[in-house]
Amino acid sequence: MTALLRYQAALLARSHRWLPPLLLYGAFLGIGVQSGQPILDSLGYAAAALLPIAAWLVRVCVTQEPAAARDCASAAVGPARVHLAAVLTALGAALLLGTPGTLLVAAVSDPHSADHQHEVPVPEATVAGLLAAVACALLGTAVGALCNRPLLRRPGWAIPVTMLAALLVSVAGASPANAAVSGLVDGSHSGTVTMPLLPLALTAAVAAGATALVCALSSRRS
């Protein structure tokens, strides 16, 4: 599996298809986060911005390999493992963007509540922001996995469905990613840091289930 991950990562790095998601994430942070804003609000925004980026990166990774090369890799190790490596590479790339992004947001934000009356502990807030970012990346990975090959093969369907699904799970009240972000934003009113452990566990379970499903389908449809 390690060799497959290195292979997929090398494909992603050489293709430069990671550049548009990177620029979009940078635009999200540049527009929505400003120096001196309340730290928990800014961390919630940064985490939410990572969800569509993760979904986009999954699409990039599961479609970046030429068909002939994918067939050769599938014949050698099985299509399920090849697909799993692509999805994990996308998740890793999303976390590689989200981690420094979250740390940067924490560094430039004001460590106080939204009303500037309560001090917010920066280390705890940063950890909560990182956990929320991971939760959003995991749910974005699940969205990308379910909205692209092998379930949706045509770009005309896969791309808009991916973006629409990413938007819906970002704002839906029952979404664990929304819960993780809302926990940060709500805590900003009182200066209270709440660790989004339950949303993180739920998104991990959803991402694992979605990935297992698409990997199984990739074996049947190869």
Side-chain angles (χ1 to χ4, degrees), residues 6-90:
R6 287 201 302 264
Y7 169 63
Q8 291 289 340
L11 282 177
L12 178 61
R14 289 199 300 265
S15 72
H16 297 290
R17 294 176 67 187
W18 49 267
L19 186 57
L22 171 63
L23 293 176
L24 180 60
Y25 184 60
F28 275 140
L29 296 187
I31 295 172
V33 177
Q34 297 179 4
S35 177
Q37 289 181 332
I39 186 171
L40 292 175
D41 287 333
S42 297
L43 288 172
Y45 179 87
L50 196 59
L51 196 154
I53 302 302
W56 189 352
L57 285 168
V58 171
R59 170 156 184 83
V60 167
C61 289
V62 300
T63 61
Q64 68 179 345
E65 195 173 9
R70 187 179 182 92
D71 289 342
C72 290
S74 297
V77 299
R81 290 171 65 86
V82 173
H83 200 81
L84 175 60
V87 174
L88 291 178
T89 299

Side-chain angles (χ1 to χ4, degrees), residues 59 63 147-162:
R59 170 156 184 83
T63 61
C147 295
N148 290 284
R149 59 183 304 175
L151 288 174
L152 296 177
R153 294 177 176 268
R154 296 182 179 180
W157 283 103
I159 294 175
V161 169
T162 299

